[in-house]
Amino acid sequence: MSSDPPGRRPRGLRGLRKPAKKRPAGTQPAETTGGSATPEPPAENTTIISAALYRDGQRVSTHDTLADAFRQQRAASGTLAWIGLHRPTPEELVTLASEFDLHPLAIEDALEAHQRPKLERYGGTLFVVLRAARYLDDPEEVDFGELHVFVGRDFVITVRHGGAPDLSAVRRRMEDTPELLKRGPEAVLYAILDAVVDGYAPVVDGVQNDIDEIETEVFGGDPRVSRRIYELSREMVEFQRATRPLNGILEGLTAGFEKYAIDEELRRYLRDVADHVVHITERVDGFRQALQDILTVNATLVNQQQNAEMRALAEAGFEQNEEVKKISAWAAILFAPTLVGTIYGMNFDHMPELHWVFGYPVAIVLMAVVCTSLYLVFKRRRWL
């Protein structure tokens, strides 16, 4: 049984929880090449981030080329080769496959990338694919990287695609904990798993903040919130694809405890990582459900707003129609006297009833009767 208090990380890996210094988002991580970290060269210049040999948890040599690392390991028995690559060329991977007897299928996966997280065993070599993630503050989005890990009897090879994870922190902290590093390649693998899973924590915090902001925007009526919900939902789908397979990977490693005589202390570390994976997957599943609920609420609010706008437009149209009716009614009423007056204003010499004594009174009465009749008709029809 472990002597650590319940709910706390085992002492051997507690130092691997977080990098000592936060690295600005978007910068490339560094690998240690000696006692301190050196900046990682751009991927287009070199793919070898670090190649070092270890004995009993201590770094014994550092190499700039794979050939030097191979030659030194063959000459020094009992050493562990830890090689870190960033988007290697096919030639470099072929060289590694030849030197460490790596399976062609695993090499093909490492070259193509875009693989789902998985655990495969090819003879005496473990091949692990992991999807790391980091939260970028400025664009408020999640950036996913891919990591391929080859673990053999005396070597660990990491092939990284993307900016995450920061393996330099894993290497530094393993070197600062030689009693853990001397447990062999499996200890390095579990430390890498722990770093990848721990890297999900700031992503979860960032997504939680995004969801809180989205809820405020939804009830604030921000028209751009639908797009943000959709984009974050897609990121959560990717996040689920990165985290859910980890349970199967850890179960596969656990199943090999007895068969491959894994150190008991490392088993504790692995169980600790598994606990964190369960917590992360539950949070991610909760985010996915929350975003679906928010999207439903937003759709309801948008429909309500559209209905209110349509109702307002209908009311405005009705009021306008009423005004048009009134104008039309008064125009018709005034048309009758205008017609009569127009006829009598033509000034013809020969015109019926032109010299009739009652002509003017009759015309006035006729106009009044017509106007009154039209007024009563429009009033009955509620045009006035």
Side-chain angles (χ1 to χ4, degrees):
M1 297 296 291
S2 173
S3 60
D4 293 312
R8 300 182 61 187
R9 298 178 63 80
R11 293 191 180 92
L13 281 186
R14 190 171 296 135
L16 298 178
R17 290 291 295 164
K18 296 285 181 260
K21 182 178 180 182
K22 183 178 180 180
R23 179 168 47 84
T27 59
Q28 290 289 344
E31 286 278 9
T32 54
T33 55
S36 60
T38 58
E40 176 185 319
E44 60 270 22
N45 294 335
T46 180
T47 61
I48 304 174
I49 305 304
S50 181
L53 298 183
Y54 299 87
R55 179 183 288 111
D56 295 328
Q58 301 291 336
R59 183 190 288 249
V60 296
S61 62
T62 302
H63 305 278
D64 296 328
T65 65
L66 294 177
D68 290 342
F70 300 156
R71 184 166 50 252
Q72 181 67 23
Q73 189 182 30
R74 285 193 293 267
S77 61
T79 57
L80 168 65
W82 186 352
I83 300 173
L85 303 177
H86 181 252
R87 292 178 179 170
T89 63
E91 292 76 14
E92 289 171 330
L93 283 182
V94 169
T95 302
L96 287 171
S98 175
E99 182 69 24
F100 294 108
D101 193 25
L102 305 180
H103 198 278
L105 292 178
I107 294 297
E108 182 180 351
D109 289 344
L111 270 176
E112 294 181 356
H114 304 292
Q115 304 293 321
R116 63 180 297 274
K118 62 180 180 179
L119 169 67
E120 300 284 352
R121 180 175 288 277
Y122 298 99
T125 302
L126 274 178
F127 176 61
V128 183
V129 179
L130 303 172
R131 293 290 305 278
R134 59 178 178 173
Y135 186 81
L136 304 180
D137 292 325
D138 291 338
E140 293 185 333
E141 63 183 24
V142 182
D143 176 50
F144 294 94
E146 190 167 329
L147 179 65
H148 303 252
V149 185
F150 297 88
V151 180
R153 180 179 58 83
D154 56 358
F155 67 88
V156 176
I157 301 171
T158 60
V159 178
R160 184 165 56 85
H161 298 269
D166 181 7
L167 294 181
S168 63
V170 178
R171 190 184 290 267
R172 285 195 301 270
R173 293 170 188 264
M174 288 294 285
E175 291 179 350
D176 292 341
T177 317
E179 66 274 11
L180 178 62
L181 181 56
K182 70 181 181 180
R183 296 179 186 273
E186 292 84 3
V188 177
L189 173 61
Y190 299 149
I192 292 173
L193 283 166
D194 184 67
V196 170
V197 174
D198 285 349
Y200 295 147
V203 177
V204 169
D205 294 338
V207 172
Q208 181 64 68
N209 291 335
D210 286 346
I211 292 178
D212 294 340
E213 293 176 0
I214 286 174
E215 288 177 342
T216 302
E217 292 172 358
V218 165
F219 292 102
D222 191 332
R224 298 170 297 180
V225 70
S226 297
R227 180 180 182 87
R228 191 176 181 187
I229 295 173
Y230 172 74
E231 292 175 349
L232 189 56
S233 297
R234 290 188 61 183
E235 290 178 352
M236 289 304 96
V237 171
E238 288 296 318
F239 208 175
Q240 283 185 322
R241 291 174 180 173
T243 56
R244 281 187 173 178
L246 288 178
N247 291 316
I249 292 175
L250 294 172
E251 289 175 0
L253 290 174
T254 303
F257 279 170
E258 296 295 338
K259 181 177 180 180
Y260 297 98
I262 301 300
D263 185 271
E264 178 61 31
E265 190 69 12
L266 294 181
R267 302 184 189 186
R268 298 192 185 98
Y269 299 157
L270 184 64
R271 286 192 289 268
D272 179 72
V273 174
D275 291 340
H276 285 81
V277 169
V278 172
H279 175 70
I280 293 296
T281 53
E282 289 176 351
R283 292 290 301 277
V284 175
D285 292 343
F287 290 157
R288 184 92 184 274
Q289 184 61 47
L291 287 170
Q292 291 178 350
D293 295 339
I294 292 174
L295 189 61
T296 301
V297 171
N298 182 62
T300 302
L301 294 176
V302 169
N303 289 334
Q304 290 177 352
Q305 182 179 0
Q306 291 177 344
N307 292 337
E309 292 175 352
M310 293 180 64
R311 184 165 54 251
L313 289 174
E315 292 175 354
F318 177 77
E319 293 176 358
Q320 186 178 17
N321 189 44
E322 292 298 313
E323 295 297 326
V324 171
K325 286 182 180 180
K326 293 179 181 179
I327 295 173
S328 301
W330 284 112
I333 292 172
L334 295 176
F335 175 75
T338 301
L339 177 63
V340 176
T342 301
I343 294 174
Y344 275 86
M346 288 190 293
N347 298 323
F348 286 105
D349 290 335
H350 302 286
M351 189 173 180
E353 301 175 352
L354 186 61
H355 301 288
W356 186 32
V357 176
F358 300 103
Y360 179 75
V362 170
I364 296 298
V365 171
L366 177 61
M367 288 188 287
V369 169
V370 172
C371 291
T372 303
S373 300
L374 289 175
Y375 179 81
L376 294 175
V377 170
F378 291 137
K379 192 70 174 176
R380 181 177 297 176
R381 295 184 178 181
R382 297 181 179 178
W383 282 35
L384 293 174

